[in-house]
Structure formats: C-alpha cells, structure tokens
Amino acid sequence: MARRITTTSELGVFLTDRGEVEVEKDGYAVVCPTHPDGKPSLWVSPKASGKVVLHCRGGCMDKDAIVAGLGLTWADLSDLVVDGGPVSTKAAATELVGEDYLAQSDAYFAEARALYVDSPADHYVRDRFKIQPDEAVGVHGLGFDPGSGLGFGWVHGRYKLHPRLVVPFRNFDGRTVGFQGRTVVYEDTTNRWIGPTNPPGYFWSTVGVWDCGGDDQYWVLTEGPSDALTAVGVGVSAVCCRGASLAQNAQTVALLIAGLSDKRVVLAGDADRGGEAFNSELGIALSEAGVQTHQLVYPSAA
Amino acid sequence: MANPSRAKGTAYEVLCRDYFQGRGWSDCQRLATRAALDLGDLTGIPRFAFECRDRQKQSLALNVDDAEERARNKRVDFGVSLMKRPRRPVGDSYVLMSLDTFTRILDELLAEQKQLQPPPP
C-alpha cells in the first residue's frame, strides 16, 4: 500500500482535517484516539530528521494503537521530507539546569512573590487550597505573574497569554529547580498549567517537593501541582510530577527514586486511565528500588 | 446582577471578548477576579491591557488613565480603552489610547519605514 503521508506539510493537512487541533511552533496537539479526550492531549511533533514523535499527555503508552487510531501506519510517520509546518529542532535535554539558569529563575520568583498578596493568584490559592498568603509566599514561595512573563526568558508565548499563579518546584534539598504556572482566569479551559521552556541541552526539574515536616510521615505523590498543593493545604508532605505521562520518563523516575528512597509513598494519580497508568508505572519503579509504596483509593463516584 | 450599570459593563466585556475571538484571537477571555490588583477586563492577547467601557457619559481622560494603569499593573506594553459606540455594533467601538502608546505601537508596526526616514536637520 502506498504511503499516504510523505512530507511534514502533508502531515499538518492530515491532522488539521481530522478535527480539533492546536498548532504550535514545534508540533501539533490533537485529540488522542485511544482514550476519551476532552481536549487535545496527543502531541505530534515532527523532527528535523524526518521522524515524528508521539506523546500522549493523558498517559497512553500503546503507540501502535495510537498510530492505528489515527488511521496511519508507522511508515507514514518516518522519513518525512521537511517542507513546511511546525518542526521541532530541540536538542535532547540531558542535564538539569545549572546555576546560571537558576539565578534567572530566582529573580523571576522574587518578582512574582512581591506581586502575590491580594493578587488573583492569592485569591485562587486561598479559595482552592486554603493556604493563606503568609504561608503561600513565606513557606512555599508562591508568586503571581500578571501575564507578561516578568522579563523571564524561558517561557513559551502561551505562558504569557494570561495571569498565572507561579508554583516553584523545589528539589529534596530545598533548592528551587523548576516551576509551573497556572492560569487564574476562570473562563480558561486549555493550557491551565504551563512550565518553562528548556534551555538547549538542559531541562528544568519535572518534580516538585513540599516537605511539611513531622516524623514517620507519608508522602503523597501526585501527577500535578494542584493535587500536591491540596495535600500541602492540610499539612501533608507531597511530591508532584509535572504530568502523568512523566511516569514513563527515565529522568523523572530517577529523581523520584533518589529523593523518596527512605520515605513511605502514597501514589495519588487521578481516578482516570492516565492516573491508573501513573500509579502502576511509578508503583513498580519505586517498589523495585525498595521504596515502600501505597495507593490512594478514591471513594466510588456512585 | 442587581446593579444595571455593572450588568451593562459586563455585557460589553462579553461583546468585546466574543468579537476578538471571532477575529481569531481565540485565547481572549474575560478577566473577572475580585483581587485588588486590576489587570483590566480582558486577557489572552499578549502585551496589551484592555479596559472596556460602556457608559452614558464617557470620560476620555479617566479611560486612558485607567487603561495605562492596568498596563502598568499587568507589566505589559500597551494599555487601551475600548469604548462602546451607542447604537452601533461592537466592531464600531472606539479604541482610546495616549499618543505615546500609539507611537510605540507605530514603532513596532512600521519599524523598517522609520529607519528609512532622513535624520532631522
């Protein structure tokens, strides 16, 4: 059977014709064909090499099923001629950002913290997580970006579309090594959480740590910062990944194993297919590394 | 909504949001918060702060001052006031800004042409 897609521009036309699609500078977000998808969560990113990377943010791991669900074959997604449309030229990130980049993000957090009290972010955090501003700023370092990026260079254009709650990601030593920003626009339904863009060859941490202290404690492991802040709001230590699909990311798993090796962990992925995969993948990886793991069981919706 | 002036203002914000979305600014949203820091009435269009006004008596000075204050609060470059034109569709609204703001927009829109101008004598 002849290939249906041979160029990157043909891929773009094909995806656009399928229905809801978000076009970014380095790929497309489309509705994932292998799970019920309320918003486009399948990332289709053509590379300059002619390969196409597929990544479901909902946690779908069966790439063969995804390709088939799109009505394609792997041949349609390999050796494409680059002739237009978004193409990723990103170098693979291999190392955590160093002090040069951290100094830039520290300056960003300082400015965001100064704008926090009585900002829309402050009201959002008080309402949703019951965390008062003195604790939010003084303990957790939360901040507010009014929608300009505050001069910080490592954020995507979409990050600067709306005012955001800025949630710094600390590592297990307490150093801030990444962050996520959440829109505080109540009408916004897409791109609620966005993180920084990676400098060439480096990556911002995909893991955030909130140590609420106490002996003999459990640590809740969540698939995003919202659930982690919910735990922190009631005084429970939490660790979050930047998203459920990172349970498959070797760098993220290594960071978690290193930090959680002497702790008792409660896996708290969402009550959906992506969350189940998150719990399962990380449960296996952490258990094999000797970490004591438990799973949060949600009450039935009925 | 008990306050008719507020209802009118909200209705105009919705009209402006829908207008921008219809013209391709699909991320444009109303920015309804109760925080003290006023960032304007709309979000989702980079580098701009918007103050929407639909009032019986419009004050140009107040509107432009408010728009510029929203831009300062939002840390963005351009603050403009969208003013409803009575009995006309939303696309016929007035856009009010200071000459300084207008010139800075011009500088970006027409940067190449500006460089072609002969230097002042």
Side-chain angles (χ1 to χ4, degrees):
Chain A
M1 189 167 63
R3 285 178 60 173
R4 298 166 58 193
I5 295 172
T6 56
T7 70
T8 53
S9 62
E10 287 174 11
L11 177 67
V13 170
F14 173 81
L15 294 173
T16 306
D17 286 348
R18 279 188 78 246
E20 191 177 358
V21 59
E22 292 174 10
V23 183
E24 305 280 353
K25 67 177 180 182
D26 50 2
Y28 306 85
V30 301
V31 173
C32 178
T34 62
H35 80 274
D37 205 2
K39 59 185 179 183
S41 63
L42 176 63
W43 183 241
V44 182
S45 181
K47 301 283 181 187
S49 64
K51 293 179 181 173
V52 177
V53 172
L54 300 174
H55 174 75
C56 178
R57 293 160 177 159
C60 296
M61 289 177 286
D62 188 344
K63 300 286 172 65
D64 291 338
I66 291 173
V67 172
L70 290 171
L72 297 173
T73 65
W74 280 112
D76 290 317
L77 299 175
S78 60
D79 298 327
L80 298 189
V81 175
V82 177
D83 68 340
V87 172
S88 173
T89 55
K90 281 181 191 166
T94 55
E95 239 181 285
L96 268 170
V97 289
E99 284 301 324
D100 286 356
Y101 295 114
L102 293 179
Q104 295 174 45
S105 59
D106 284 346
Y108 174 61
F109 299 140
E111 195 165 350
R113 282 196 303 272
L115 296 172
Y116 181 84
V117 176
D118 208 20
S119 71
D122 179 10
H123 287 269
Y124 173 77
V125 168
R126 281 193 236 186
D127 289 346
R128 178 157 182 194
F129 307 116
K130 313 301 177 202
I131 299 175
Q132 298 305 308
D134 52 345
E135 181 189 346
V137 177
V139 179
H140 306 305
L142 303 187
F144 175 63
D145 183 329
S148 67
L150 298 174
F152 182 61
W154 299 104
V155 285
H156 194 279
R158 294 197 68 78
Y159 186 94
K160 296 188 272 190
L161 278 178
H162 300 300
R164 288 183 188 276
L165 161 68
V166 179
V167 181
F169 278 15
R170 293 180 177 137
N171 62 18
F172 286 93
D173 297 323
R175 178 75 173 97
T176 303
V177 286
F179 65 96
Q180 291 277 287
R182 193 205 188 277
T183 58
V184 286
V185 180
Y186 293 111
E187 291 183 327
D188 180 57
T189 54
T190 59
N191 298 110
R192 284 200 177 117
W193 286 97
I194 298 183
T197 55
N198 287 333
Y202 294 90
F203 66 96
W204 300 93
S205 180
T206 51
V207 170
V209 178
W210 287 265
D211 185 352
C212 294
D215 297 329
D216 198 31
Q217 57 176 330
Y218 285 91
W219 287 64
V220 173
L221 176 52
T222 72
E223 58 176 85
S226 281
D227 291 338
L229 287 172
T230 301
V232 170
V234 292
V236 175
S237 295
V239 181
C240 82
C241 295
R242 201 194 55 210
S245 60
L246 284 167
Q248 304 160 47
N249 178 284
Q251 290 160 333
T252 302
V253 174
L255 286 172
L256 290 171
I257 289 174
L260 295 170
S261 60
D262 58 346
K263 299 176 173 66
R264 291 189 292 179
V265 175
V266 179
L267 297 155
D270 289 352
D272 57 20
R273 187 171 160 180
E276 287 168 13
F278 175 85
N279 286 347
S280 168
E281 290 271 316
L282 285 180
I284 292 168
L286 292 170
S287 298
E288 285 179 350
V291 180
Q292 190 184 142
T293 60
H294 308 265
Q295 186 170 328
L296 192 62
V297 178
Y298 298 101
S300 162
Chain B
M1 195 177 290
N3 184 335
S5 297
R6 191 166 174 184
K8 193 174 164 189
T10 299
Y12 183 53
E13 291 170 18
V14 170
L15 282 175
C16 291
R17 177 202 64 191
D18 291 349
Y19 182 81
F20 279 125
Q21 288 185 351
R23 294 292 296 264
W25 295 97
S26 54
D27 288 300
C28 184
Q29 300 286 358
R30 284 181 60 234
L31 184 54
T33 75
R34 54 188 169 78
L37 192 68
D38 194 335
L39 307 172
D41 296 321
L42 301 175
T43 179
I45 297 179
R47 303 183 61 191
F48 276 82
F50 296 93
E51 191 65 22
C52 301
R53 290 279 157 85
D54 179 10
R55 292 180 179 171
Q56 198 77 27
K57 290 184 180 176
Q58 296 271 21
S59 163
L60 301 185
L62 176 69
N63 289 357
V64 78
D65 285 351
D66 284 352
E68 293 194 343
E69 187 211 48
R70 309 310 184 238
R72 283 193 297 275
N73 289 345
K74 205 176 169 193
R75 308 291 206 272
V76 292
D77 300 308
F78 312 116
V80 300
S81 176
L82 309 180
M83 295 167 52
K84 178 81 170 70
R85 192 170 171 186
R87 297 173 297 283
R88 297 293 287 265
V90 64
D92 288 348
S93 293
Y94 305 111
V95 179
L96 178 70
M97 70 187 92
S98 67
L99 179 59
D100 173 68
T101 297
F102 180 69
T103 308
R104 286 186 289 111
I105 294 172
L106 269 187
D107 286 345
E108 297 210 15
L109 272 177
L110 304 174
E112 289 176 15
Q113 283 86 337
K114 188 177 182 184
Q115 285 162 9
L116 296 175
Q117 303 288 316

